Amino acid sequence: MVKKRAISADERGDVETENRTGGSYLKKKKMMKKNLQRLGGKGLSLEAFANAKTRSNDYNPSLIKKQKEFYKNAKFVKKYKRMVKQQGEHGDSSVAKRAPEKQTEPGEADNADRKGKSKRNKPHNLNELYMKRREEEEKARMEREAIIEAKKEERQRAEVRRKELRQKMFKKTKSGQPVMKYRIEHLLQTLQGSNS
């Protein structure tokens, strides 16, 4: 025996709307739900919108610029202090006073001597280092220029030889025939060059 189920008024309404629109009511409802989820819900309330607009979003170009400038200046100051330390021109005498206060063990004294010796070998003055590097660069530049000049002269000599050979090869007799003397000499030279 098959039980028949009674159709409620709501279900009849769904069927009627389905028949009228030609599409499934549930399908449309599902699509609406998906669209709401995709768009982020039904939207913000007025209060939430106002709070979102007044809240700072941590992007302030002027603050970022100030921070960049601060770090840049700090970098320059650090570089300057390092250079002053290397040159041995300490403006702060307290650093010089602190060094003797340190007590060193016998093993550490050897290390200190080694460090001092390695520093002595290095040029103390940045000017000396600059001049040394400058001289090396100047030498390298002069060598490059000499090589370029030699290549240029060789190229000019080869060009002159080719011009002379070309003139000889294109010489004609009174009747317009090519002069064979130069052509035969050229052939002889190439044969002798290939044999040796």
Side-chain angles (χ1 to χ4, degrees), residues 123-155:
H124 292 288
N125 199 352
L126 286 177
N127 197 17
E128 290 175 15
L129 186 66
Y130 170 75
M131 294 301 283
K132 195 175 191 180
R133 187 178 293 160
R134 179 92 185 246
E135 287 174 8
E136 289 171 2
E137 288 175 359
E138 188 70 23
K139 272 185 187 177
R141 189 179 62 81
M142 294 293 275
E143 288 173 4
R144 281 195 305 267
E145 284 180 2
I147 291 168
I148 290 169
E149 192 66 33
K151 283 182 181 178
K152 194 175 184 181
E153 287 175 7
E154 182 60 36
R155 210 177 299 126

PDB file of all heavy atoms in Angstrom, residues 123-155:
ATOM      1  N   PRO A 123      96.823  50.779   6.331  1.00  0.00           N
ATOM      2  CA  PRO A 123      97.042  52.231   6.316  1.00  0.00           C
ATOM      3  C   PRO A 123      96.085  52.919   7.291  1.00  0.00           C
ATOM      4  O   PRO A 123      94.903  52.630   7.315  1.00  0.00           O
ATOM      5  CB  PRO A 123      96.737  52.635   4.879  1.00  0.00           C
ATOM      6  CG  PRO A 123      95.971  51.505   4.294  1.00  0.00           C
ATOM      7  CD  PRO A 123      96.332  50.289   5.061  1.00  0.00           C
ATOM      8  N   HIS A 124      96.633  53.798   8.113  1.00  0.00           N
ATOM      9  CA  HIS A 124      95.825  54.465   9.124  1.00  0.00           C
ATOM     10  C   HIS A 124      94.989  55.573   8.512  1.00  0.00           C
ATOM     11  O   HIS A 124      93.907  55.870   8.973  1.00  0.00           O
ATOM     12  CB  HIS A 124      96.721  55.059  10.228  1.00  0.00           C
ATOM     13  CG  HIS A 124      97.393  54.009  11.051  1.00  0.00           C
ATOM     14  ND1 HIS A 124      96.708  53.242  11.957  1.00  0.00           N
ATOM     15  CD2 HIS A 124      98.681  53.582  11.084  1.00  0.00           C
ATOM     16  CE1 HIS A 124      97.554  52.395  12.537  1.00  0.00           C
ATOM     17  NE2 HIS A 124      98.756  52.571  12.012  1.00  0.00           N
ATOM     18  N   ASN A 125      95.487  56.133   7.484  1.00  0.00           N
ATOM     19  CA  ASN A 125      94.819  57.284   6.920  1.00  0.00           C
ATOM     20  C   ASN A 125      94.005  56.869   5.705  1.00  0.00           C
ATOM     21  O   ASN A 125      94.493  56.156   4.832  1.00  0.00           O
ATOM     22  CB  ASN A 125      95.882  58.318   6.525  1.00  0.00           C
ATOM     23  CG  ASN A 125      95.290  59.687   6.368  1.00  0.00           C
ATOM     24  OD1 ASN A 125      94.077  59.853   6.408  1.00  0.00           O
ATOM     25  ND2 ASN A 125      96.144  60.668   6.196  1.00  0.00           N
ATOM     26  N   LEU A 126      92.794  57.319   5.634  1.00  0.00           N
ATOM     27  CA  LEU A 126      91.950  57.017   4.478  1.00  0.00           C
ATOM     28  C   LEU A 126      92.498  57.670   3.223  1.00  0.00           C
ATOM     29  O   LEU A 126      92.314  57.163   2.118  1.00  0.00           O
ATOM     30  CB  LEU A 126      90.518  57.497   4.725  1.00  0.00           C
ATOM     31  CG  LEU A 126      89.704  56.653   5.691  1.00  0.00           C
ATOM     32  CD1 LEU A 126      88.344  57.285   5.908  1.00  0.00           C
ATOM     33  CD2 LEU A 126      89.529  55.257   5.133  1.00  0.00           C
ATOM     34  N   ASN A 127      93.192  58.784   3.398  1.00  0.00           N
ATOM     35  CA  ASN A 127      93.773  59.476   2.255  1.00  0.00           C
ATOM     36  C   ASN A 127      94.817  58.594   1.564  1.00  0.00           C
ATOM     37  O   ASN A 127      94.868  58.524   0.342  1.00  0.00           O
ATOM     38  CB  ASN A 127      94.403  60.797   2.717  1.00  0.00           C
ATOM     39  CG  ASN A 127      94.638  61.727   1.555  1.00  0.00           C
ATOM     40  OD1 ASN A 127      94.074  61.553   0.489  1.00  0.00           O
ATOM     41  ND2 ASN A 127      95.480  62.719   1.773  1.00  0.00           N
ATOM     42  N   GLU A 128      95.636  57.896   2.379  1.00  0.00           N
ATOM     43  CA  GLU A 128      96.637  56.990   1.796  1.00  0.00           C
ATOM     44  C   GLU A 128      95.959  55.869   1.024  1.00  0.00           C
ATOM     45  O   GLU A 128      96.373  55.525  -0.087  1.00  0.00           O
ATOM     46  CB  GLU A 128      97.502  56.376   2.910  1.00  0.00           C
ATOM     47  CG  GLU A 128      98.443  57.340   3.574  1.00  0.00           C
ATOM     48  CD  GLU A 128      99.170  56.694   4.747  1.00  0.00           C
ATOM     49  OE1 GLU A 128      99.162  55.450   4.856  1.00  0.00           O
ATOM     50  OE2 GLU A 128      99.737  57.443   5.562  1.00  0.00           O
ATOM     51  N   LEU A 129      94.918  55.325   1.617  1.00  0.00           N
ATOM     52  CA  LEU A 129      94.169  54.244   0.966  1.00  0.00           C
ATOM     53  C   LEU A 129      93.569  54.736  -0.347  1.00  0.00           C
ATOM     54  O   LEU A 129      93.637  54.052  -1.383  1.00  0.00           O
ATOM     55  CB  LEU A 129      93.061  53.758   1.905  1.00  0.00           C
ATOM     56  CG  LEU A 129      92.272  52.555   1.455  1.00  0.00           C
ATOM     57  CD1 LEU A 129      93.177  51.332   1.417  1.00  0.00           C
ATOM     58  CD2 LEU A 129      91.110  52.305   2.407  1.00  0.00           C
ATOM     59  N   TYR A 130      93.024  55.949  -0.324  1.00  0.00           N
ATOM     60  CA  TYR A 130      92.435  56.534  -1.531  1.00  0.00           C
ATOM     61  C   TYR A 130      93.492  56.734  -2.613  1.00  0.00           C
ATOM     62  O   TYR A 130      93.266  56.386  -3.783  1.00  0.00           O
ATOM     63  CB  TYR A 130      91.773  57.868  -1.166  1.00  0.00           C
ATOM     64  CG  TYR A 130      91.340  58.664  -2.363  1.00  0.00           C
ATOM     65  CD1 TYR A 130      90.228  58.304  -3.092  1.00  0.00           C
ATOM     66  CD2 TYR A 130      92.057  59.792  -2.771  1.00  0.00           C
ATOM     67  CE1 TYR A 130      89.828  59.026  -4.196  1.00  0.00           C
ATOM     68  CE2 TYR A 130      91.673  60.519  -3.865  1.00  0.00           C
ATOM     69  CZ  TYR A 130      90.552  60.139  -4.576  1.00  0.00           C
ATOM     70  OH  TYR A 130      90.167  60.859  -5.668  1.00  0.00           O
ATOM     71  N   MET A 131      94.644  57.268  -2.220  1.00  0.00           N
ATOM     72  CA  MET A 131      95.708  57.524  -3.203  1.00  0.00           C
ATOM     73  C   MET A 131      96.215  56.212  -3.810  1.00  0.00           C
ATOM     74  O   MET A 131      96.484  56.127  -5.006  1.00  0.00           O
ATOM     75  CB  MET A 131      96.869  58.284  -2.544  1.00  0.00           C
ATOM     76  CG  MET A 131      96.496  59.698  -2.107  1.00  0.00           C
ATOM     77  SD  MET A 131      95.929  60.723  -3.472  1.00  0.00           S
ATOM     78  CE  MET A 131      97.502  61.099  -4.216  1.00  0.00           C
ATOM     79  N   LYS A 132      96.336  55.182  -2.969  1.00  0.00           N
ATOM     80  CA  LYS A 132      96.803  53.882  -3.445  1.00  0.00           C
ATOM     81  C   LYS A 132      95.831  53.312  -4.477  1.00  0.00           C
ATOM     82  O   LYS A 132      96.235  52.864  -5.553  1.00  0.00           O
ATOM     83  CB  LYS A 132      96.918  52.925  -2.246  1.00  0.00           C
ATOM     84  CG  LYS A 132      97.710  51.686  -2.510  1.00  0.00           C
ATOM     85  CD  LYS A 132      97.841  50.897  -1.213  1.00  0.00           C
ATOM     86  CE  LYS A 132      98.835  49.795  -1.355  1.00  0.00           C
ATOM     87  NZ  LYS A 132      98.980  49.023  -0.127  1.00  0.00           N
ATOM     88  N   ARG A 133      94.561  53.349  -4.150  1.00  0.00           N
ATOM     89  CA  ARG A 133      93.544  52.839  -5.078  1.00  0.00           C
ATOM     90  C   ARG A 133      93.521  53.659  -6.365  1.00  0.00           C
ATOM     91  O   ARG A 133      93.391  53.127  -7.459  1.00  0.00           O
ATOM     92  CB  ARG A 133      92.162  52.870  -4.405  1.00  0.00           C
ATOM     93  CG  ARG A 133      91.093  52.206  -5.257  1.00  0.00           C
ATOM     94  CD  ARG A 133      89.765  52.188  -4.584  1.00  0.00           C
ATOM     95  NE  ARG A 133      89.778  51.331  -3.404  1.00  0.00           N
ATOM     96  CZ  ARG A 133      88.908  51.407  -2.415  1.00  0.00           C
ATOM     97  NH1 ARG A 133      87.957  52.316  -2.459  1.00  0.00           N
ATOM     98  NH2 ARG A 133      88.977  50.596  -1.394  1.00  0.00           N
ATOM     99  N   ARG A 134      93.687  54.952  -6.205  1.00  0.00           N
ATOM    100  CA  ARG A 134      93.683  55.843  -7.369  1.00  0.00           C
ATOM    101  C   ARG A 134      94.850  55.514  -8.304  1.00  0.00           C
ATOM    102  O   ARG A 134      94.689  55.483  -9.530  1.00  0.00           O
ATOM    103  CB  ARG A 134      93.777  57.291  -6.865  1.00  0.00           C
ATOM    104  CG  ARG A 134      93.805  58.349  -7.913  1.00  0.00           C
ATOM    105  CD  ARG A 134      92.418  58.831  -8.210  1.00  0.00           C
ATOM    106  NE  ARG A 134      92.443  59.767  -9.314  1.00  0.00           N
ATOM    107  CZ  ARG A 134      92.145  61.042  -9.217  1.00  0.00           C
ATOM    108  NH1 ARG A 134      91.777  61.536  -8.065  1.00  0.00           N
ATOM    109  NH2 ARG A 134      92.188  61.820 -10.262  1.00  0.00           N
ATOM    110  N   GLU A 135      96.042  55.268  -7.731  1.00  0.00           N
ATOM    111  CA  GLU A 135      97.212  54.914  -8.540  1.00  0.00           C
ATOM    112  C   GLU A 135      96.991  53.603  -9.285  1.00  0.00           C
ATOM    113  O   GLU A 135      97.335  53.489 -10.469  1.00  0.00           O
ATOM    114  CB  GLU A 135      98.454  54.799  -7.644  1.00  0.00           C
ATOM    115  CG  GLU A 135      98.986  56.129  -7.164  1.00  0.00           C
ATOM    116  CD  GLU A 135     100.117  55.957  -6.158  1.00  0.00           C
ATOM    117  OE1 GLU A 135     100.576  54.814  -5.953  1.00  0.00           O
ATOM    118  OE2 GLU A 135     100.532  56.975  -5.579  1.00  0.00           O
ATOM    119  N   GLU A 136      96.391  52.618  -8.595  1.00  0.00           N
ATOM    120  CA  GLU A 136      96.117  51.344  -9.243  1.00  0.00           C
ATOM    121  C   GLU A 136      95.149  51.518 -10.410  1.00  0.00           C
ATOM    122  O   GLU A 136      95.342  50.963 -11.495  1.00  0.00           O
ATOM    123  CB  GLU A 136      95.535  50.344  -8.227  1.00  0.00           C
ATOM    124  CG  GLU A 136      96.544  49.864  -7.209  1.00  0.00           C
ATOM    125  CD  GLU A 136      95.906  49.052  -6.102  1.00  0.00           C
ATOM    126  OE1 GLU A 136      94.668  48.829  -6.144  1.00  0.00           O
ATOM    127  OE2 GLU A 136      96.637  48.628  -5.196  1.00  0.00           O
ATOM    128  N   GLU A 137      94.116  52.303 -10.184  1.00  0.00           N
ATOM    129  CA  GLU A 137      93.142  52.562 -11.253  1.00  0.00           C
ATOM    130  C   GLU A 137      93.803  53.279 -12.422  1.00  0.00           C
ATOM    131  O   GLU A 137      93.529  52.987 -13.586  1.00  0.00           O
ATOM    132  CB  GLU A 137      91.970  53.381 -10.716  1.00  0.00           C
ATOM    133  CG  GLU A 137      91.048  52.598  -9.810  1.00  0.00           C
ATOM    134  CD  GLU A 137      89.973  53.464  -9.187  1.00  0.00           C
ATOM    135  OE1 GLU A 137      89.945  54.689  -9.434  1.00  0.00           O
ATOM    136  OE2 GLU A 137      89.152  52.899  -8.436  1.00  0.00           O
ATOM    137  N   GLU A 138      94.680  54.225 -12.102  1.00  0.00           N
ATOM    138  CA  GLU A 138      95.387  54.979 -13.154  1.00  0.00           C
ATOM    139  C   GLU A 138      96.273  54.052 -13.975  1.00  0.00           C
ATOM    140  O   GLU A 138      96.313  54.130 -15.207  1.00  0.00           O
ATOM    141  CB  GLU A 138      96.230  56.092 -12.499  1.00  0.00           C
ATOM    142  CG  GLU A 138      96.846  57.062 -13.465  1.00  0.00           C
ATOM    143  CD  GLU A 138      95.827  57.961 -14.125  1.00  0.00           C
ATOM    144  OE1 GLU A 138      94.733  58.158 -13.577  1.00  0.00           O
ATOM    145  OE2 GLU A 138      96.132  58.456 -15.231  1.00  0.00           O
ATOM    146  N   LYS A 139      96.987  53.123 -13.294  1.00  0.00           N
ATOM    147  CA  LYS A 139      97.843  52.164 -14.006  1.00  0.00           C
ATOM    148  C   LYS A 139      97.005  51.298 -14.948  1.00  0.00           C
ATOM    149  O   LYS A 139      97.361  51.089 -16.114  1.00  0.00           O
ATOM    150  CB  LYS A 139      98.564  51.240 -13.010  1.00  0.00           C
ATOM    151  CG  LYS A 139      99.861  51.762 -12.504  1.00  0.00           C
ATOM    152  CD  LYS A 139     100.522  50.698 -11.629  1.00  0.00           C
ATOM    153  CE  LYS A 139     101.756  51.235 -10.950  1.00  0.00           C
ATOM    154  NZ  LYS A 139     102.360  50.242 -10.055  1.00  0.00           N
ATOM    155  N   ALA A 140      95.889  50.795 -14.412  1.00  0.00           N
ATOM    156  CA  ALA A 140      95.020  49.926 -15.219  1.00  0.00           C
ATOM    157  C   ALA A 140      94.494  50.696 -16.427  1.00  0.00           C
ATOM    158  O   ALA A 140      94.437  50.162 -17.549  1.00  0.00           O
ATOM    159  CB  ALA A 140      93.858  49.413 -14.373  1.00  0.00           C
ATOM    160  N   ARG A 141      94.137  51.962 -16.222  1.00  0.00           N
ATOM    161  CA  ARG A 141      93.616  52.778 -17.324  1.00  0.00           C
ATOM    162  C   ARG A 141      94.684  53.010 -18.389  1.00  0.00           C
ATOM    163  O   ARG A 141      94.421  52.906 -19.592  1.00  0.00           O
ATOM    164  CB  ARG A 141      93.109  54.121 -16.780  1.00  0.00           C
ATOM    165  CG  ARG A 141      92.356  54.949 -17.816  1.00  0.00           C
ATOM    166  CD  ARG A 141      91.874  56.244 -17.206  1.00  0.00           C
ATOM    167  NE  ARG A 141      92.947  57.101 -16.739  1.00  0.00           N
ATOM    168  CZ  ARG A 141      93.660  57.909 -17.510  1.00  0.00           C
ATOM    169  NH1 ARG A 141      93.441  57.974 -18.804  1.00  0.00           N
ATOM    170  NH2 ARG A 141      94.614  58.658 -16.992  1.00  0.00           N
ATOM    171  N   MET A 142      95.915  53.287 -17.942  1.00  0.00           N
ATOM    172  CA  MET A 142      97.014  53.516 -18.887  1.00  0.00           C
ATOM    173  C   MET A 142      97.299  52.256 -19.705  1.00  0.00           C
ATOM    174  O   MET A 142      97.536  52.334 -20.921  1.00  0.00           O
ATOM    175  CB  MET A 142      98.281  53.955 -18.128  1.00  0.00           C
ATOM    176  CG  MET A 142      98.151  55.308 -17.447  1.00  0.00           C
ATOM    177  SD  MET A 142      98.010  56.646 -18.620  1.00  0.00           S
ATOM    178  CE  MET A 142      99.724  56.949 -18.931  1.00  0.00           C
ATOM    179  N   GLU A 143      97.279  51.087 -19.035  1.00  0.00           N
ATOM    180  CA  GLU A 143      97.508  49.831 -19.755  1.00  0.00           C
ATOM    181  C   GLU A 143      96.427  49.601 -20.802  1.00  0.00           C
ATOM    182  O   GLU A 143      96.717  49.216 -21.939  1.00  0.00           O
ATOM    183  CB  GLU A 143      97.536  48.652 -18.765  1.00  0.00           C
ATOM    184  CG  GLU A 143      98.785  48.621 -17.917  1.00  0.00           C
ATOM    185  CD  GLU A 143      98.724  47.554 -16.836  1.00  0.00           C
ATOM    186  OE1 GLU A 143      97.732  46.793 -16.800  1.00  0.00           O
ATOM    187  OE2 GLU A 143      99.666  47.486 -16.038  1.00  0.00           O
ATOM    188  N   ARG A 144      95.183  49.839 -20.422  1.00  0.00           N
ATOM    189  CA  ARG A 144      94.068  49.680 -21.380  1.00  0.00           C
ATOM    190  C   ARG A 144      94.242  50.608 -22.575  1.00  0.00           C
ATOM    191  O   ARG A 144      94.057  50.214 -23.723  1.00  0.00           O
ATOM    192  CB  ARG A 144      92.735  49.956 -20.690  1.00  0.00           C
ATOM    193  CG  ARG A 144      92.222  48.815 -19.843  1.00  0.00           C
ATOM    194  CD  ARG A 144      90.765  48.993 -19.497  1.00  0.00           C
ATOM    195  NE  ARG A 144      90.453  50.261 -18.859  1.00  0.00           N
ATOM    196  CZ  ARG A 144      90.416  50.468 -17.552  1.00  0.00           C
ATOM    197  NH1 ARG A 144      90.668  49.491 -16.719  1.00  0.00           N
ATOM    198  NH2 ARG A 144      90.117  51.664 -17.068  1.00  0.00           N
ATOM    199  N   GLU A 145      94.605  51.872 -22.276  1.00  0.00           N
ATOM    200  CA  GLU A 145      94.789  52.839 -23.357  1.00  0.00           C
ATOM    201  C   GLU A 145      95.922  52.427 -24.285  1.00  0.00           C
ATOM    202  O   GLU A 145      95.819  52.580 -25.505  1.00  0.00           O
ATOM    203  CB  GLU A 145      95.056  54.231 -22.782  1.00  0.00           C
ATOM    204  CG  GLU A 145      93.822  54.902 -22.237  1.00  0.00           C
ATOM    205  CD  GLU A 145      94.112  56.279 -21.667  1.00  0.00           C
ATOM    206  OE1 GLU A 145      95.275  56.735 -21.737  1.00  0.00           O
ATOM    207  OE2 GLU A 145      93.162  56.900 -21.145  1.00  0.00           O
ATOM    208  N   ALA A 146      97.021  51.890 -23.719  1.00  0.00           N
ATOM    209  CA  ALA A 146      98.148  51.446 -24.540  1.00  0.00           C
ATOM    210  C   ALA A 146      97.729  50.302 -25.456  1.00  0.00           C
ATOM    211  O   ALA A 146      98.072  50.273 -26.647  1.00  0.00           O
ATOM    212  CB  ALA A 146      99.307  51.013 -23.642  1.00  0.00           C
ATOM    213  N   ILE A 147      96.956  49.358 -24.923  1.00  0.00           N
ATOM    214  CA  ILE A 147      96.486  48.231 -25.735  1.00  0.00           C
ATOM    215  C   ILE A 147      95.574  48.725 -26.849  1.00  0.00           C
ATOM    216  O   ILE A 147      95.706  48.316 -28.012  1.00  0.00           O
ATOM    217  CB  ILE A 147      95.750  47.204 -24.838  1.00  0.00           C
ATOM    218  CG1 ILE A 147      96.747  46.528 -23.903  1.00  0.00           C
ATOM    219  CG2 ILE A 147      95.006  46.182 -25.671  1.00  0.00           C
ATOM    220  CD1 ILE A 147      96.093  45.721 -22.799  1.00  0.00           C
ATOM    221  N   ILE A 148      94.685  49.642 -26.507  1.00  0.00           N
ATOM    222  CA  ILE A 148      93.759  50.178 -27.514  1.00  0.00           C
ATOM    223  C   ILE A 148      94.526  50.919 -28.599  1.00  0.00           C
ATOM    224  O   ILE A 148      94.239  50.783 -29.795  1.00  0.00           O
ATOM    225  CB  ILE A 148      92.715  51.103 -26.838  1.00  0.00           C
ATOM    226  CG1 ILE A 148      91.757  50.270 -25.985  1.00  0.00           C
ATOM    227  CG2 ILE A 148      91.948  51.914 -27.859  1.00  0.00           C
ATOM    228  CD1 ILE A 148      90.861  51.084 -25.083  1.00  0.00           C
ATOM    229  N   GLU A 149      95.526  51.701 -28.183  1.00  0.00           N
ATOM    230  CA  GLU A 149      96.338  52.458 -29.149  1.00  0.00           C
ATOM    231  C   GLU A 149      97.096  51.518 -30.088  1.00  0.00           C
ATOM    232  O   GLU A 149      97.151  51.742 -31.305  1.00  0.00           O
ATOM    233  CB  GLU A 149      97.328  53.356 -28.390  1.00  0.00           C
ATOM    234  CG  GLU A 149      98.032  54.386 -29.247  1.00  0.00           C
ATOM    235  CD  GLU A 149      97.084  55.431 -29.803  1.00  0.00           C
ATOM    236  OE1 GLU A 149      96.101  55.774 -29.136  1.00  0.00           O
ATOM    237  OE2 GLU A 149      97.342  55.894 -30.929  1.00  0.00           O
ATOM    238  N   ALA A 150      97.669  50.439 -29.540  1.00  0.00           N
ATOM    239  CA  ALA A 150      98.405  49.471 -30.364  1.00  0.00           C
ATOM    240  C   ALA A 150      97.472  48.817 -31.388  1.00  0.00           C
ATOM    241  O   ALA A 150      97.828  48.670 -32.570  1.00  0.00           O
ATOM    242  CB  ALA A 150      99.047  48.408 -29.489  1.00  0.00           C
ATOM    243  N   LYS A 151      96.273  48.454 -30.940  1.00  0.00           N
ATOM    244  CA  LYS A 151      95.297  47.842 -31.858  1.00  0.00           C
ATOM    245  C   LYS A 151      94.906  48.821 -32.957  1.00  0.00           C
ATOM    246  O   LYS A 151      94.785  48.452 -34.127  1.00  0.00           O
ATOM    247  CB  LYS A 151      94.045  47.407 -31.093  1.00  0.00           C
ATOM    248  CG  LYS A 151      94.223  46.136 -30.302  1.00  0.00           C
ATOM    249  CD  LYS A 151      92.928  45.753 -29.627  1.00  0.00           C
ATOM    250  CE  LYS A 151      93.096  44.483 -28.811  1.00  0.00           C
ATOM    251  NZ  LYS A 151      91.860  44.112 -28.109  1.00  0.00           N
ATOM    252  N   LYS A 152      94.748  50.078 -32.574  1.00  0.00           N
ATOM    253  CA  LYS A 152      94.350  51.101 -33.543  1.00  0.00           C
ATOM    254  C   LYS A 152      95.435  51.279 -34.614  1.00  0.00           C
ATOM    255  O   LYS A 152      95.135  51.351 -35.814  1.00  0.00           O
ATOM    256  CB  LYS A 152      94.113  52.417 -32.796  1.00  0.00           C
ATOM    257  CG  LYS A 152      93.388  53.467 -33.573  1.00  0.00           C
ATOM    258  CD  LYS A 152      93.107  54.671 -32.677  1.00  0.00           C
ATOM    259  CE  LYS A 152      92.311  55.709 -33.385  1.00  0.00           C
ATOM    260  NZ  LYS A 152      92.057  56.888 -32.536  1.00  0.00           N
ATOM    261  N   GLU A 153      96.696  51.337 -34.176  1.00  0.00           N
ATOM    262  CA  GLU A 153      97.812  51.494 -35.130  1.00  0.00           C
ATOM    263  C   GLU A 153      97.889  50.291 -36.070  1.00  0.00           C
ATOM    264  O   GLU A 153      98.088  50.458 -37.282  1.00  0.00           O
ATOM    265  CB  GLU A 153      99.132  51.663 -34.370  1.00  0.00           C
ATOM    266  CG  GLU A 153      99.277  53.009 -33.706  1.00  0.00           C
ATOM    267  CD  GLU A 153     100.535  53.105 -32.864  1.00  0.00           C
ATOM    268  OE1 GLU A 153     101.357  52.164 -32.896  1.00  0.00           O
ATOM    269  OE2 GLU A 153     100.695  54.131 -32.168  1.00  0.00           O
ATOM    270  N   GLU A 154      97.724  49.094 -35.504  1.00  0.00           N
ATOM    271  CA  GLU A 154      97.771  47.874 -36.330  1.00  0.00           C
ATOM    272  C   GLU A 154      96.645  47.889 -37.360  1.00  0.00           C
ATOM    273  O   GLU A 154      96.845  47.533 -38.528  1.00  0.00           O
ATOM    274  CB  GLU A 154      97.656  46.637 -35.436  1.00  0.00           C
ATOM    275  CG  GLU A 154      97.737  45.320 -36.159  1.00  0.00           C
ATOM    276  CD  GLU A 154      99.041  45.127 -36.911  1.00  0.00           C
ATOM    277  OE1 GLU A 154     100.102  45.567 -36.411  1.00  0.00           O
ATOM    278  OE2 GLU A 154      99.002  44.569 -38.024  1.00  0.00           O
ATOM    279  N   ARG A 155      95.475  48.332 -36.947  1.00  0.00           N
ATOM    280  CA  ARG A 155      94.341  48.413 -37.860  1.00  0.00           C
ATOM    281  C   ARG A 155      94.632  49.392 -39.006  1.00  0.00           C
ATOM    282  O   ARG A 155      94.331  49.124 -40.176  1.00  0.00           O
ATOM    283  CB  ARG A 155      93.098  48.847 -37.085  1.00  0.00           C
ATOM    284  CG  ARG A 155      91.809  48.305 -37.646  1.00  0.00           C
ATOM    285  CD  ARG A 155      90.596  48.684 -36.816  1.00  0.00           C
ATOM    286  NE  ARG A 155      90.633  48.189 -35.464  1.00  0.00           N
ATOM    287  CZ  ARG A 155      90.497  48.949 -34.370  1.00  0.00           C
ATOM    288  NH1 ARG A 155      90.324  50.249 -34.482  1.00  0.00           N
ATOM    289  NH2 ARG A 155      90.551  48.423 -33.171  1.00  0.00           N
TER     290      ARG A 155
END
